[in-house]
Amino acid sequence: MNNKLIERSMLNNVLSEYRKENKKIVFTNGCFDILHRGHVQYLQKARELGDLLVLGLNSDNSVKRLKGNDRPINNETDRAIILSALECINYISIFDEDTPLELIKIVKPDILVKGGDYKIEDVVGREFAKETVLIDFVDGYSTTNIIKKINS
């Protein structure tokens, strides 16, 4: 693949170098099953909030538990490779849990970003970030809607 995919165990070491340089670390997460315009614009906006963007990517097992047995459409390796092509993402770490809490504890982001469908008080891990920011989704774009359109 490439050097954007990083094991959880290596994250702290890599990010400590950025912290020494007072770089602002942004973290977000998601399934990103079928990458679409809404995803790309969301990730670009997240990256604009800081100096580097760390993405927590739900594992295949995690996606199945969250979205059902028919998901993901694209496996975690394929999703990571596609996301790695985006310039706005610096690092990707795959997590198997239902939430990225353990990953957030390691990253300790300056800014934790979630989609506009969340309320700040409901964002998992916000107590480990200096700031939590919600970014509105692009209307009309969702993986679920794409799947429905393909199936109809």
Side-chain angles (χ1 to χ4, degrees):
M1 196 170 324
N2 68 33
N3 60 356
K4 287 188 180 183
L5 186 63
I6 186 167
E7 292 294 327
R8 182 184 308 201
S9 60
M10 299 299 298
L11 260 177
N12 195 37
N13 289 341
V14 170
L15 295 179
S16 68
E17 295 303 315
Y18 291 98
R19 286 189 194 100
K20 286 177 191 171
E21 298 172 12
N22 291 318
K23 300 288 187 186
K24 193 178 283 189
I25 300 168
V26 180
F27 177 89
T28 194
N29 67 282
C31 301
F32 301 96
D33 191 4
I34 297 175
L35 196 64
H36 54 72
R37 173 183 171 183
H39 288 140
V40 173
Q41 289 182 326
Y42 169 83
L43 292 166
Q44 288 171 331
K45 286 179 184 176
R47 173 60 176 76
E48 289 171 4
L49 296 171
D51 296 304
L52 72 145
L53 177 61
V54 178
L55 174 70
L57 182 64
N58 290 74
S59 70
D60 291 346
N61 289 330
S62 177
V63 174
K64 279 190 190 317
R65 290 191 304 273
L66 292 170
K67 307 280 186 180
N69 284 330
D70 292 339
R71 302 278 299 275
I73 302 298
N74 292 300
N75 68 50
E76 64 194 46
T77 302
D78 291 347
R79 290 183 283 126
I81 289 170
I82 292 165
L83 288 161
S84 291
L86 297 178
E87 289 180 24
C88 59
I89 298 173
N90 297 88
Y91 295 103
I92 299 170
S93 190
I94 296 172
F95 66 97
D96 200 41
E97 300 86 0
D98 290 346
T99 73
L101 181 61
E102 295 307 313
L103 203 51
I104 293 168
K105 287 180 183 178
I106 294 168
V107 174
K108 296 179 199 80
D110 293 290
I111 301 175
L112 175 60
V113 177
K114 286 300 290 180
D117 57 337
Y118 279 81
K119 293 179 181 162
I120 292 277
E121 59 270 16
D122 295 335
V123 175
V124 169
R126 72 184 188 288
E127 65 272 24
F128 298 99
K130 293 178 183 163
E131 182 182 356
T132 303
V133 175
L134 302 179
I135 295 177
D136 289 332
F137 290 128
V138 178
D139 285 341
Y141 291 91
S142 84
T143 299
T144 301
N145 289 344
I146 291 170
I147 292 169
K148 285 178 184 174
K149 187 174 182 180
I150 290 169
N151 286 332
S152 66

